[in-house]
Amino acid sequence: MKIGIAGAGLLGRLLAYLLSRQGHEASVFDPVGGPDARGAAGWTAAGMLSPTAELESADINVFNHGLRSIELWAEIIPALSCHASFDRAGSLLLAHRHDAGSAQRMISLLNEKAPEEHRPQPLPLAQLAQLEPDIQGPSHAWLLPHEGHLNTVEAMEALYASANGVHWHWGCAVSSLSAHTLHTIDGDHRFDWVFDVRGLGERENAPSGPANAVSCRNVRGVRGEIFWLHAPAVQLNRPIRLLHPRHRVYLVPRSNHLIVVGASEIESEDRSPVSLRSTVELLAAAHSVMPALAEARVVHSETNLRPALIDNLPRIEHENGLTRINGLFRHGWLIAPSLVDQALSELKFEC
């Protein structure tokens, strides 16, 4: 089949890669200038694969998509033509003594929503020290053993490089689309099927309707901010989340002695650089659980907007000749492979 894909972010690259492997002819259209241009939200994400931890704001459907996606990533990542880091060593939840009350409320919520084998496991501090010697300061710790993480930058690059035979149309925005057709400044492009995975770009030509309607085109942006710390003297083996009363601060290890520090979400569509307040709060929180980060160097900071629907849940919409996938919110890398797998299965595409 001839497939048209609007959007070259995480979903667009996954679709292009999987469809091309099955012999379909895929064409991808995106307004950014090239494969390494950092427009899509997938570039900015830390890459935590945390189905249990995300139950704080998600439902059991997102949890199940997360479990399925971890299994799919375990198949996809090794098959890519270039390296992308992927690990399933679990993750940690941490809390300081003075935040024990709010942390326990979070743990109680996860215990209520998660299946028994996925519930947070209390971790004695002596065992925490064995797992993560450079974590010092927290008084409470819990292990989520069935979680993982990947390097999102490497994975974005590898998905593009591995999608053999795909036609990439960079600097070519989709102004509108309809069944079987993508409309661009270059004209109309006809396909056997079209996928709209533009995220926030999908609302540019959305019809007017009720503000509270659940639709792939009724999408808003949720700001995310991250820092890259170069810390060659610091060891971190798995993602950690500090349970803080105001925000969830996470630290995620990457190759080349990098640690990504960020916060889960900010209800804003501001794309400006990271604020002084965020810089102070996030890095101070990171330092409070890993004092050895005091000599780390801030080598990069980045902001982006995650696409979210009114209920903060993902959505797949099909009509004849057209499929829309949107609303991945802060769960993008966690659920994307499972969502794509579901969409293609519903269409009975071979994948």
Side-chain angles (χ1 to χ4, degrees):
M1 298 179 68
K2 290 183 62 177
I3 310 295
I5 301 171
L10 170 57
L11 286 174
R13 293 179 190 223
L14 266 174
L15 280 165
Y17 170 73
L18 293 171
L19 290 169
S20 66
R21 281 173 62 89
Q22 297 303 323
H24 300 293
E25 182 182 349
S27 298
V28 185
F29 298 78
D30 198 280
V32 302
D36 297 324
R38 305 290 282 270
W43 289 103
T44 309
M48 291 180 294
L49 307 177
S50 304
T52 299
E54 287 302 307
L55 280 172
E56 177 191 9
S57 63
D59 63 4
I60 198 65
N61 185 50
V62 169
F63 172 84
N64 289 329
H65 275 304
L67 293 183
R68 172 66 176 148
S69 288
I70 291 175
E71 298 304 320
L72 290 171
W73 281 126
E75 299 173 4
I76 292 170
I77 294 294
L80 298 177
S81 61
C82 51
H83 176 75
S85 302
F86 169 72
D87 193 278
R88 302 174 71 173
S91 69
L92 295 170
L93 303 176
L94 306 175
H96 292 297
R97 190 179 308 277
H98 54 270
D99 295 329
S102 60
Q104 192 55 57
R105 286 190 290 273
M106 166 73 160
I107 298 302
S108 297
L109 175 64
L110 298 183
N111 283 334
E112 180 182 339
K113 297 177 74 173
E116 184 174 359
E117 64 272 23
H118 292 276
R119 292 171 183 168
Q121 301 177 3
L123 196 64
L125 294 184
Q127 191 174 350
L128 172 64
Q130 293 178 344
L131 291 177
E132 299 288 354
D134 285 339
I135 292 179
Q136 301 174 19
S139 300
H140 307 278
W142 297 264
L143 174 67
L144 302 176
H146 303 292
E147 303 198 335
H149 68 284
L150 51 71
N151 187 315
T152 59
V153 174
E154 291 176 351
M156 288 285 278
E157 294 170 343
L159 285 168
Y160 165 75
S162 305
N164 297 321
V166 172
H167 307 291
W168 300 90
H169 300 265
W170 303 109
C172 188
V174 173
S175 57
S176 63
L177 50 78
S178 53
H180 302 287
T181 307
L182 298 179
H183 309 282
T184 73
I185 193 171
D186 297 330
D188 296 342
H189 304 265
R190 294 281 298 174
F191 299 96
D192 297 314
W193 206 271
V194 164
F195 288 89
D196 190 352
V197 288
R198 292 175 293 168
L200 289 175
E202 191 166 341
R203 70 182 177 186
E204 293 174 0
N205 299 98
S208 59
N212 61 349
V214 180
S215 164
C216 280
R217 288 177 283 180
N218 192 5
V219 63
R220 76 185 193 282
V222 179
R223 178 180 169 98
E225 304 175 335
I226 63 169
F227 297 88
W228 294 9
L229 305 183
H230 184 244
V234 179
Q235 178 183 352
L236 182 63
N237 301 309
R238 53 186 56 78
I240 60 177
R241 295 182 190 230
L242 178 61
L243 304 183
H244 187 278
R246 290 196 308 279
H247 44 246
R248 302 288 177 256
V249 178
Y250 52 77
L251 291 82
V252 183
R254 283 194 179 167
S255 54
N256 300 318
H257 307 294
L258 290 176
I259 295 177
V260 175
V261 179
S264 294
E265 65 193 68
I266 302 170
E267 282 292 340
S268 170
E269 293 198 348
D270 177 13
R271 290 182 180 269
S272 64
V274 180
S275 68
L276 174 62
R277 177 177 179 175
S278 292
T279 302
V280 171
E281 289 188 354
L282 295 183
L283 297 186
H287 177 256
S288 75
V289 295
M290 298 191 76
L293 288 175
E295 294 303 318
R297 297 297 186 256
V298 180
V299 295
H300 179 71
S301 66
E302 193 170 338
T303 62
N304 215 324
L305 300 180
R306 306 177 182 98
L309 304 184
I310 190 70
D311 56 3
N312 290 337
L313 298 177
R315 187 173 177 86
I316 301 171
E317 296 175 354
H318 300 295
E319 57 186 84
N320 185 31
L322 171 60
T323 294
R324 294 184 171 94
I325 309 174
N326 210 339
L328 275 64
F329 188 37
R330 70 186 203 186
H331 319 301
W333 288 89
L334 172 64
I335 64 176
S338 182
L339 282 178
V340 168
D341 182 61
Q342 176 184 329
L344 297 181
S345 297
E346 290 169 349
L347 295 171
K348 296 183 170 51
F349 284 6
E350 185 182 359
C351 70

